[in-house]
Amino acid sequence: MSAKVELENIEKSYGATQTLRSASLTIEAGEFMTLVGPSGCGKSTLLRIMAGLQPQSAGEIRIDGTSVDHLRPRERDIAMVFQSYALYPHMSVEQNIGTPLRVRRLPTAVRLPVLGRLVPGQRTARREIQEAVREVADQVEIGHLLPRKPAALSGGQRQRVALARAIIRNPKVFLMDEPLSNLDARLRVTMRGEITSLHRRLGATFIYVTHDQTEAMTMSDRVAVMMDGEIVQCASPQELYTNPQDLRVARFIGSPEINVVSTEETARWTGQPLPDGIAHIAFRPEAIDFTPKSAGIGVDARLLRHELLGHDVLVFLQTDQGTEVTGRIPAAQWSGLAVADGQIAFTLRPEALLAFDPSGKRAPLPFSPDGMMPADRMLSHAS
Amino acid sequence: MSKTRQAGAGMRYTLGQFASHAFLLALAFIFMFPFYVMLVTSFRAPQELFTPEFNWLPQVFTGAHYYIESLTATPVLTFMKNGVIISLGILLVQLLTAIPCAYALAKFEFRGRKLLFAIVIFALTVPIQVPALPLFLGLNAIGALDTYFAAMMPFFLSVFAIFLFRQSFKSYPDEIIHAARLDGMSEWAILWTIVVPGSVPAIAAFSVFSLTSHWNDLYWPMIVIRSNELMTPPLGLAYFADSESGENYGALMATATILTAPLMLAFLFAQRQFIRGITMTGVK
Amino acid sequence: MPADIAAFPGPAPVAVSPRRRHGAQIPGWVSWSLAGPSVVLLVLLMLLPIAAIVLLSFTDYRFGALEVSFVGLDNYVDLNSDRAFWRALGNTFTYVAMVVPASVFLGLLLAVLINGLTRGRKIYQLIFFLPVTATLVAMATVWKYLLHGTIGPFNLLLKSWGLPAIDFFSDPDLVLGGLALINIWSLAGFNMVLFIAGLTAIPEELYDAASVDGMENPLDRFFSVTLPLLGPTTMFVIITSTITAFKVFDTVAVITRGGPRRGASDVLLYTTYLEGFTYFRMGSAAAMTVVFLAIIMIFAFLQARVLDRKVHY
């Protein structure tokens, strides 16, 4: 049970402020898609528009090829897990999980508090719901908590109840709005694994919103990075990391942050000016190589400090021009490193460099593998 | 040095406490005196009342004589029944009308919302004495004077309830309402089964406020109620006190005790809710 | 993120499809079906009657009369020259001037003393709040007997201590004072609770700071910390007490009926009540009601201003 979700030119504005400007995205059936971006980028708004909780100002949403814009939230066959879990505080865990089924399967009169108990002939329906609740509760390992109220649960347990309430409807699409952000770090790692295995087990389409790039990178099939109300790039996690199409994406993805240096400084390193269309050169910390005599662009720097991360070491450097860059090397390499008077030299492999134009868009790399600029690429870029 | 200072402060502390207690006890005595008089008089024989000296306790034991007299000779129980019917009836309609309106004002955007809220705020300041005349004329025109309906009608709408519940509903998390929509509930179901259970404290406080003010109200029943069978406790007592020209104070005080007792007992059992409910308006 | 959550449900500036409503938009009729009953009642029980009372005040309508004519401002002109009306208005203000300072001061005194206690706070609060919950009409009959000139326990007590008797409700000079006494008794506990709420809102650190600054005298602390911070509460209590006192009716109706002699305890609401519902002179009763509404609106306006500021302090 899964469905393809298509967003076409979705816009949203509140008065004069536009929170979404023409967001388009296709999420394949059964895919785990993550919307990631800094807070205020419009990712939660986009999710709520998909759920039908907020109307878009323009654009269309299609599920399995049919437009759902006119459908109310309940008619869209979508389940959602909220950041605050949104559990009904006065209901037990069992009632919370069973609500979507009770609302859909039992007639209104039967659902009335107190009076509903008096309506005859609903025993089978009630028993079915009870069994379904027990089953999903066991799936997320909260079978023993059914009689409790949400207030008596820990954060992780509430999270599981919220998941169970979404699962029980067996929807084609799951929307998750920062579901892990209220959990502590250790629990977050566990739940990350559980949600991905849940996705595999259910086979449904998952659309997951987070501001945490680790969640985005570790859980998803594809990640859509949102900035200022736009989807800047949508690609697999690996692709986003190695091949960002926008400087903002490059900066947002990866920790420690990608190193960005000016074209002037790069020109000084290579001894040649860079073409006009390029404003920034960026490279990941892994691109820094301290192995003596390795091929590439050589740079002299001063060692500021280093951080031992166990397996890796982060090396903080300052170039002669005063730019600070960070390198990440294996611990074994660090211990064999020769630092004289705080000075250290490193090389950059030219193919590890990323070039961006003044607007932050990705530009072709003006270097050949030997560190020199190939004339043909220069020409093609200039035209 | 610090030790002596502490001792000094302690001394002054207990002295201050002692003085406060002495003063408060004296005031408490004065405040309780009318209640004491009410109770003690309801047990006194008439000849004691007209003697010129003051006795703290009844000299003759009358037992429950005046209470029995009050319950049998006057329709006290009818008054109380009317009080219960009228104040509960008012409360029920107030809750049924104010809760949905407050929810719409708190959570929905609709044309005319701002105007409606402005009118509610204005109406908050208008006491019953202002629309009393036209309401009386209207009830008279439809021939409804001297009925339960007449006693309840002006209070069917409580703008105060709308105002209070709107505040309470506004703070109800939107995410839970969204979850309920996704779960498939209608807006009415969301209101009554999700939002209302989350606002029980506000509703309880308002209920206390509404029940006490209508149980105690004299003004409006005095205008629309004529028959003895429909009189509320305050109206019945005022009427009874008036017609008892024989100055049967024992029975009068017994009646006063009986009519005051329900609210006072409720207050003693649920002080917190009562204080919250009554002081909530700021206006007694 | 909270910003875009809180903004729901926002108006859709551009219609998605002119033919079909967006599923996320709550249709207007849903809102109006929720608010509808209240709107109908608001119009029938509040707006129309207020319009009617203003209109009535320009007529000579008498209850039961077949003819009504428009008399312009005559009712107001008559009120202006009516000594009984001015006396009722004057009595009401005198009464307010007695009740408000006494009940506010007593409420503050009780609150400060009780708040300073280490034990017994709850029981004192209970005792002083008890008169607030008591049915005023019932207690009025008790007070009437209690203060009775000859057989009232109060006077018997005075006499047993060798003091002269005071007959509140038969002496035109004392009757308002007697009524005020009852209102002070029933209002002080109410004000006390409001003041205690204000006191508990004062941060404890301020008193610690005052102690560090060498302020040890309780009176110093009261005047330099407590009272200034209670300012907004005090304003609020004064105005609400004024409105409550201004609406005095029950005790007059039960105990004095405007007496003794002609009108020594006539108050605005009682006079209006008699004019409208005993003499059935609706036109002039309506004019009195309009005056009453105008005065209440002034107090309510002040109250709203104070409440506004209280939020920010």
Side-chain angles (χ1 to χ4, degrees), chain A residues 13-14 40 43-45 52-57 59 69-73 76, chain C residues 1 4-5 7-16 20-25:
Chain A
S13 37
Y14 300 98
K43 54 193 192 296
S44 276
T45 309
L53 296 170
Q54 283 181 34
Q56 66 265 41
S57 310
D69 292 329
H70 63 286
L71 294 180
R72 284 182 290 153
R76 295 192 181 190
Chain C
M1 280 305 97
D4 58 34
I5 295 170
F8 177 82
V14 188
V16 182
R20 288 202 281 192
R21 176 189 307 283
H22 192 284
Q25 279 167 322

Side-chain angles (χ1 to χ4, degrees), chain C residues 203-213 221:
Chain C
E204 196 63 38
E205 293 93 62
L206 283 178
Y207 290 104
D208 295 344
S211 294
V212 172
D213 291 346
R221 292 152 65 104

